[in-house]
Amino acid sequence: MTTTVRVPEERSARVPAEQRGPGRDRDSVRLLVSCGTEVSHHAFVELPRRLRAGDLLIVNTSPTLAAAVDGWIGHARVVVHFSTWGDDGRWAVELRDPDGRGTTRARAGGPAGTEIRLAGDVRLVLEEPLTPYGSRLWWGRVSQPDVLGLLRRHGRPIRYSYTQRDQPLSVYQTVFALPSADGGGSAEMPSAARPFTARLVAELVSRGVQFAPITLHTGVASAEAHEPPYPERYEVPEASARLINAARAGEGRILAVGTTAVRAVESAVDAGGVVRARKGWTDLVVTPERGVRVVDGLLTGLHEPEASHLLMLEAIAGRAAIERSYGEALSGLYLWHEFGDVHLILPEEGPHTEGCSSNCR
């Protein structure tokens, strides 16, 4: 995909859908539907008509944190993106340089021992790279234990240069977000679920579509560095595991809402194909070689060509199908990124399908 897809800058969604005109809501985005290489174009509010009774949507309940905090190294200003907290109390962080336009640009991490001054006389000291094959994210130790409190008081949502302006944290919360028992959450929004509204969820339920909540706390995006996803915390509750297994045993299709939901549930399946209640860390990278064992389809945003998420999409639908659908998204002027349009990948054939023609049109 990195050699066949080029996304023009003007295809980036700069503001949320509800801010693009009067009478709009979060669900005022477009929906690209693909079954194999068959593609059709819809409004997202048509999603209930693309699904059927017995289908099950796996949704991520992780709330989004205000994970960007201003800091200083000497007299130089930096922005710290707090990505993931470790079991030993340290945080995986990314340092960014302000770009003078309200957003940031990439910055090399390290070296070890670098001290960053944060608000409230808090200190962050970098200790070592998060992984041996990259230096963008570092493990750092904060001088006070209440880092989540620091983010609530002084943080703001992570924002990238393709967006037009800062947004309140509420804009980055999905309808499925729930407070975590430990107060944690995601560095960046599980954005595939953003277009859902309470009204749309109610319509789906009324049509017999079920929901299985999981939690996966996402770290910072890695597309710009061509890096695989980093380890992330996740939980698949017992009740959701039961729902998924029951749907697989029946006529329902298992459809993940977002790549985070795929990563979580595919991390919780045993050798016999049964989903188990599990929690902890996952370093799973879903590739075409590994394949998927649980999900039949996926609702997701449109990803940059460098993103490792595209390998997951190819694992679910195949490379030819993804290339065709992305070609249609480009020619159809779809919008990319977290405020953009979405792509529903339905299974082409199998025991839980009735064929593409009844679902893509």
Side-chain angles (χ1 to χ4, degrees), residues 23-245:
R24 292 176 176 264
D25 204 341
R26 286 178 173 227
D27 55 15
S28 302
V29 297
R30 299 171 68 191
L31 176 68
L32 183 76
V33 180
S34 62
C35 309
T37 56
E38 183 179 345
V39 179
S40 61
H41 305 272
H42 308 271
F44 184 75
V45 291
E46 298 176 52
L47 177 66
R49 281 175 274 168
R50 307 274 70 80
L51 305 180
R52 59 176 182 257
D55 285 345
L56 183 134
L57 298 179
I58 305 173
V59 296
N60 189 356
T61 64
S62 178
T64 308
L65 301 174
V69 179
D70 290 326
W72 292 263
I73 299 176
H75 296 291
R77 184 182 163 218
V78 297
V79 177
V80 181
H81 288 176
F82 283 82
S83 180
T84 306
W85 68 100
D87 294 332
D88 59 1
R90 298 186 299 176
W91 277 77
V93 298
E94 178 190 24
L95 300 189
R96 309 271 298 185
D97 284 324
D99 63 3
R101 301 188 300 273
T103 57
T104 61
R105 55 179 175 264
R107 170 195 176 102
T114 298
E115 181 178 277
I116 301 98
R117 290 181 291 112
L118 306 174
D121 199 31
V122 175
R123 298 290 192 272
L124 165 67
V125 178
L126 303 184
E127 294 188 350
E128 60 181 338
L130 183 63
T131 65
Y133 53 81
S135 61
R136 187 169 64 95
L137 268 70
W138 281 65
W139 284 116
R141 197 169 295 278
V142 184
S143 61
Q144 70 163 42
D146 186 19
V147 175
L148 293 172
L150 173 75
L151 301 185
R152 286 191 296 271
R153 292 188 299 272
H154 302 291
R156 61 186 179 277
I158 289 175
R159 175 191 159 205
Y160 293 110
S161 59
Y162 52 78
T163 57
Q164 184 174 324
R165 56 181 175 268
D166 284 344
Q167 300 283 350
L169 185 59
S170 60
V171 167
Y172 291 88
Q173 304 295 2
T174 75
V175 71
F176 303 111
L178 295 171
S180 297
D182 58 7
S186 291
E188 298 189 20
M189 173 177 55
S191 55
R194 190 184 190 279
F196 284 86
T197 61
R199 178 183 62 248
L200 191 72
V201 171
E203 183 179 353
L204 287 163
V205 171
S206 73
R207 288 173 175 261
V209 175
Q210 295 182 294
F211 291 84
I214 57 86
T215 301
L216 186 138
H217 296 316
T218 68
V220 298
S222 57
E224 66 185 295
H226 301 265
E227 297 162 333
Y230 294 103
E232 294 168 318
R233 291 180 182 270
Y234 81 104
E235 179 176 5
V236 175
E238 177 66 35
S240 293
R242 290 177 180 271
L243 280 171
I244 295 166
N245 291 327

